[in-house]
Structures are given as C-alpha cells and as structure tokens.
Amino acid sequence: ERPPEVRAVQQAAVQEPRSAPATPEGMVRVPPGPGPADKIRRHAIRYAFFIDKLETTVGEYQACVDAGGCTPAWDGKGSYENHCTVGKDPKLPITCVNTQQARAYCEWRGKRPLVDMEWRWAAKGEDRITPWGSNVLDCEHANTSTGREKHTGCVPGGGPWPVGTAP
C-alpha cells in the first residue's frame, strides 16, 4: 500500500482537466494512452502532457549558464570531445549534460524533465517500435552511428545535426 500523499499525487496526475490548458508556445500536447496498461501497452500513459517540439540547443543551454541557473556542460576532453557539443555551434543540440543539469535547465525554463515512461510514450506511442513506425534505424530518420568503431553518424565527418533540421 502506498502512502496517502503518493496516491493523491498519482490520482492528480492521472485526471484529465475538464478543459484542457492551452498548449504553451514551442511545445506539443501528447495525448494520454487508451485504457489500462497490459503486456502489450506496458508504457501507455494515462494523462496528457506537454513536450518541447525541439531539443535544447547549445545556445539555449549557454543562456541558462550565463544567467546562473545552470552549470557548464562537460566538454568531453580526453575521451568524448567528438560527441560533446558545448562551445560549438549554438544551433546544435546540447549534449554531455547530466541529469541534475538537465533538471536545473528545465526548472530555469519553468518546466520539468519528462520521466522515462513519458519519453517512451511521446516517442513511440502505443504500437510503434520507433517514432517513425518501423524498427529500421537509418540515416533518413535518425542521426546514428554507422559503425561501432567509426562513430561517424549520419552527418559527413560525424556529429549531430543542427536542431530543427530533421523531422
């Protein structure tokens, strides 16, 4: 049996508001999943929530650092400098931030980070293996490594795509 305060929070999160709030600018509303979870729909979410349309950019994260709301992202020196984007093009997605830094950024923006099941639901919904509907991971749909040794990704020379350049 869960403590009463935990049950109250869970009940409040599950109840859909009578009149849905307006979607905040730059975000999309993710609708709740149908019915109770079962073996097939084990990641269904029973409440609506909002998610940003785009990833956080290096420039947006740096604004939080400059304002004192965030600590600098790791630069990856010594092992991951090709994967970390701090100090690079401000239009790239920020990488190499830890959970606490991500949480601080969200709070600075007046938001909250999604929990794991919300990420899964937003990305895949009820019956998809991937956000685009198939189990094929290719450069048309994702910037992924093309080989275990090379780690070049889908962009010539490796690295991430600027935010907003892919569907």
Side-chain angles (χ1 to χ4, degrees), residues 105-130:
Y105 177 79
C106 289
E107 290 172 1
W108 181 73
R109 295 287 314 267
K111 300 177 182 182
R112 67 167 179 84
L114 298 182
V115 298
D116 181 58
M117 287 186 61
E118 290 170 333
W119 272 114
R120 291 175 193 224
W121 185 249
K124 299 192 291 187
E126 184 177 4
D127 58 0
R128 294 177 304 213
I129 295 171
T130 61

Short mmCIF file of all heavy atoms in Angstrom, two decimals, residues 105-130:
data_model
loop_
_atom_site.label_atom_id
_atom_site.label_comp_id
_atom_site.label_asym_id
_atom_site.label_seq_id
_atom_site.Cartn_x
_atom_site.Cartn_y
_atom_site.Cartn_z
N TYR A 105 18.11 23.04 -15.88
CA TYR A 105 17.71 23.78 -17.08
C TYR A 105 16.18 23.83 -17.19
O TYR A 105 15.61 24.90 -17.45
CB TYR A 105 18.31 23.15 -18.34
CG TYR A 105 17.85 23.86 -19.58
CD1 TYR A 105 18.41 25.08 -19.96
CD2 TYR A 105 16.81 23.35 -20.36
CE1 TYR A 105 17.95 25.75 -21.09
CE2 TYR A 105 16.36 24.01 -21.48
CZ TYR A 105 16.93 25.21 -21.83
OH TYR A 105 16.47 25.89 -22.95
N CYS A 106 15.54 22.69 -17.00
CA CYS A 106 14.07 22.66 -17.08
C CYS A 106 13.46 23.60 -16.05
O CYS A 106 12.53 24.36 -16.38
CB CYS A 106 13.56 21.24 -16.87
SG CYS A 106 13.92 20.12 -18.23
N GLU A 107 13.95 23.57 -14.83
CA GLU A 107 13.42 24.44 -13.78
C GLU A 107 13.66 25.91 -14.13
O GLU A 107 12.80 26.75 -13.90
CB GLU A 107 14.03 24.08 -12.44
CG GLU A 107 13.54 22.74 -11.92
CD GLU A 107 14.26 22.25 -10.69
OE1 GLU A 107 15.18 22.95 -10.19
OE2 GLU A 107 13.93 21.13 -10.24
N TRP A 108 14.81 26.23 -14.69
CA TRP A 108 15.12 27.59 -15.11
C TRP A 108 14.13 28.07 -16.16
O TRP A 108 13.73 29.23 -16.17
CB TRP A 108 16.56 27.64 -15.65
CG TRP A 108 17.02 29.00 -16.08
CD1 TRP A 108 17.33 30.06 -15.28
CD2 TRP A 108 17.23 29.43 -17.42
NE1 TRP A 108 17.73 31.13 -16.05
CE2 TRP A 108 17.68 30.76 -17.37
CE3 TRP A 108 17.09 28.80 -18.67
CZ2 TRP A 108 17.98 31.49 -18.52
CZ3 TRP A 108 17.40 29.53 -19.81
CH2 TRP A 108 17.83 30.86 -19.72
N ARG A 109 13.67 27.15 -17.01
CA ARG A 109 12.67 27.47 -18.04
C ARG A 109 11.24 27.41 -17.52
O ARG A 109 10.29 27.65 -18.25
CB ARG A 109 12.80 26.50 -19.22
CG ARG A 109 14.09 26.55 -19.99
CD ARG A 109 14.24 27.77 -20.88
NE ARG A 109 13.08 28.08 -21.67
CZ ARG A 109 12.87 27.66 -22.91
NH1 ARG A 109 13.75 26.91 -23.52
NH2 ARG A 109 11.77 28.00 -23.55
N GLY A 110 11.07 27.05 -16.24
CA GLY A 110 9.72 26.92 -15.68
C GLY A 110 9.03 25.64 -16.10
O GLY A 110 7.81 25.56 -16.13
N LYS A 111 9.82 24.62 -16.42
CA LYS A 111 9.29 23.34 -16.88
C LYS A 111 9.83 22.24 -15.98
O LYS A 111 10.42 22.51 -14.94
CB LYS A 111 9.70 23.09 -18.33
CG LYS A 111 9.18 24.16 -19.28
CD LYS A 111 9.65 23.93 -20.68
CE LYS A 111 9.15 25.02 -21.62
NZ LYS A 111 9.57 24.78 -23.00
N ARG A 112 9.60 21.00 -16.38
CA ARG A 112 10.14 19.85 -15.66
C ARG A 112 10.62 18.84 -16.69
O ARG A 112 10.10 18.77 -17.80
CB ARG A 112 9.09 19.21 -14.76
CG ARG A 112 7.96 18.56 -15.54
CD ARG A 112 7.10 17.66 -14.65
NE ARG A 112 6.00 17.07 -15.38
CZ ARG A 112 6.08 15.96 -16.10
NH1 ARG A 112 7.22 15.32 -16.22
NH2 ARG A 112 5.02 15.47 -16.72
N PRO A 113 11.62 18.02 -16.32
CA PRO A 113 12.04 16.97 -17.25
C PRO A 113 10.98 15.88 -17.31
O PRO A 113 10.25 15.65 -16.35
CB PRO A 113 13.35 16.46 -16.66
CG PRO A 113 13.32 16.86 -15.23
CD PRO A 113 12.42 18.05 -15.11
N LEU A 114 10.89 15.22 -18.45
CA LEU A 114 9.97 14.10 -18.56
C LEU A 114 10.52 12.89 -17.82
O LEU A 114 11.74 12.73 -17.71
CB LEU A 114 9.77 13.71 -20.03
CG LEU A 114 9.16 14.76 -20.95
CD1 LEU A 114 9.01 14.18 -22.36
CD2 LEU A 114 7.83 15.25 -20.44
N VAL A 115 9.64 12.07 -17.34
CA VAL A 115 10.06 10.80 -16.76
C VAL A 115 10.21 9.79 -17.90
O VAL A 115 9.70 10.00 -19.01
CB VAL A 115 9.08 10.28 -15.67
CG1 VAL A 115 9.02 11.26 -14.50
CG2 VAL A 115 7.70 10.03 -16.25
N ASP A 116 10.88 8.69 -17.64
CA ASP A 116 11.19 7.70 -18.67
C ASP A 116 9.95 7.27 -19.45
O ASP A 116 9.97 7.22 -20.68
CB ASP A 116 11.87 6.49 -18.02
CG ASP A 116 12.24 5.44 -19.04
OD1 ASP A 116 12.99 5.76 -19.98
OD2 ASP A 116 11.77 4.29 -18.90
N MET A 117 8.88 6.93 -18.76
CA MET A 117 7.69 6.45 -19.47
C MET A 117 7.07 7.53 -20.33
O MET A 117 6.50 7.24 -21.39
CB MET A 117 6.67 5.86 -18.49
CG MET A 117 7.15 4.52 -17.95
SD MET A 117 5.95 3.67 -16.92
CE MET A 117 4.60 3.45 -18.04
N GLU A 118 7.17 8.79 -19.95
CA GLU A 118 6.66 9.88 -20.80
C GLU A 118 7.50 9.98 -22.07
O GLU A 118 6.96 10.16 -23.17
CB GLU A 118 6.68 11.21 -20.04
CG GLU A 118 5.65 11.26 -18.94
CD GLU A 118 5.81 12.46 -18.04
OE1 GLU A 118 6.94 12.98 -17.90
OE2 GLU A 118 4.79 12.89 -17.46
N TRP A 119 8.83 9.86 -21.95
CA TRP A 119 9.69 9.88 -23.13
C TRP A 119 9.30 8.76 -24.08
O TRP A 119 9.17 8.96 -25.29
CB TRP A 119 11.16 9.68 -22.72
CG TRP A 119 11.89 10.92 -22.39
CD1 TRP A 119 12.37 11.28 -21.17
CD2 TRP A 119 12.21 11.99 -23.27
NE1 TRP A 119 12.98 12.50 -21.24
CE2 TRP A 119 12.90 12.96 -22.53
CE3 TRP A 119 11.99 12.23 -24.62
CZ2 TRP A 119 13.38 14.14 -23.08
CZ3 TRP A 119 12.46 13.40 -25.17
CH2 TRP A 119 13.14 14.34 -24.40
N ARG A 120 9.14 7.57 -23.53
CA ARG A 120 8.79 6.42 -24.38
C ARG A 120 7.44 6.63 -25.07
O ARG A 120 7.29 6.33 -26.25
CB ARG A 120 8.75 5.14 -23.55
CG ARG A 120 10.10 4.70 -23.08
CD ARG A 120 9.96 3.51 -22.17
NE ARG A 120 11.19 3.25 -21.47
CZ ARG A 120 11.71 2.06 -21.32
NH1 ARG A 120 11.09 1.01 -21.80
NH2 ARG A 120 12.83 1.91 -20.66
N TRP A 121 6.47 7.12 -24.32
CA TRP A 121 5.14 7.33 -24.89
C TRP A 121 5.18 8.41 -25.97
O TRP A 121 4.59 8.26 -27.03
CB TRP A 121 4.14 7.68 -23.80
CG TRP A 121 2.74 7.77 -24.31
CD1 TRP A 121 1.99 8.89 -24.44
CD2 TRP A 121 1.93 6.70 -24.79
NE1 TRP A 121 0.77 8.59 -24.97
CE2 TRP A 121 0.71 7.25 -25.19
CE3 TRP A 121 2.14 5.33 -24.92
CZ2 TRP A 121 -0.32 6.48 -25.73
CZ3 TRP A 121 1.11 4.56 -25.45
CH2 TRP A 121 -0.09 5.14 -25.83
N ALA A 122 5.88 9.50 -25.71
CA ALA A 122 5.98 10.58 -26.69
C ALA A 122 6.69 10.11 -27.96
O ALA A 122 6.30 10.48 -29.07
CB ALA A 122 6.71 11.77 -26.09
N ALA A 123 7.70 9.27 -27.82
CA ALA A 123 8.47 8.82 -28.97
C ALA A 123 7.78 7.72 -29.76
O ALA A 123 7.83 7.71 -30.98
CB ALA A 123 9.84 8.32 -28.51
N LYS A 124 7.12 6.80 -29.07
CA LYS A 124 6.62 5.61 -29.75
C LYS A 124 5.12 5.43 -29.72
O LYS A 124 4.58 4.71 -30.54
CB LYS A 124 7.29 4.37 -29.17
CG LYS A 124 8.79 4.38 -29.34
CD LYS A 124 9.44 3.06 -29.05
CE LYS A 124 9.41 2.68 -27.61
NZ LYS A 124 10.17 1.49 -27.29
N GLY A 125 4.45 6.03 -28.77
CA GLY A 125 3.01 5.80 -28.69
C GLY A 125 2.68 4.37 -28.32
O GLY A 125 3.48 3.67 -27.70
N GLU A 126 1.53 3.93 -28.75
CA GLU A 126 1.02 2.63 -28.33
C GLU A 126 1.63 1.44 -29.06
O GLU A 126 1.89 0.41 -28.47
CB GLU A 126 -0.50 2.61 -28.52
CG GLU A 126 -1.14 1.35 -28.03
CD GLU A 126 -2.64 1.39 -28.15
OE1 GLU A 126 -3.19 2.35 -28.68
OE2 GLU A 126 -3.26 0.44 -27.69
N ASP A 127 1.88 1.57 -30.35
CA ASP A 127 2.21 0.36 -31.10
C ASP A 127 3.38 0.50 -32.06
O ASP A 127 3.55 -0.30 -32.95
CB ASP A 127 0.98 -0.11 -31.87
CG ASP A 127 0.45 0.96 -32.82
OD1 ASP A 127 1.03 2.06 -32.88
OD2 ASP A 127 -0.54 0.69 -33.50
N ARG A 128 4.21 1.51 -31.90
CA ARG A 128 5.35 1.66 -32.79
C ARG A 128 6.62 1.23 -32.09
O ARG A 128 6.77 1.42 -30.89
CB ARG A 128 5.49 3.13 -33.22
CG ARG A 128 4.34 3.60 -34.06
CD ARG A 128 4.52 5.04 -34.38
NE ARG A 128 4.67 5.78 -33.13
CZ ARG A 128 4.26 7.00 -32.93
NH1 ARG A 128 3.69 7.67 -33.89
NH2 ARG A 128 4.42 7.60 -31.77
N ILE A 129 7.55 0.70 -32.85
CA ILE A 129 8.84 0.32 -32.31
C ILE A 129 9.75 1.55 -32.26
O ILE A 129 10.53 1.73 -31.36
CB ILE A 129 9.47 -0.81 -33.15
CG1 ILE A 129 8.60 -2.06 -33.03
CG2 ILE A 129 10.91 -1.09 -32.73
CD1 ILE A 129 8.98 -3.17 -33.97
N THR A 130 9.62 2.41 -33.26
CA THR A 130 10.38 3.66 -33.33
C THR A 130 9.41 4.81 -33.59
O THR A 130 8.27 4.57 -34.00
CB THR A 130 11.41 3.61 -34.48
OG1 THR A 130 10.68 3.44 -35.71
CG2 THR A 130 12.41 2.48 -34.30
#
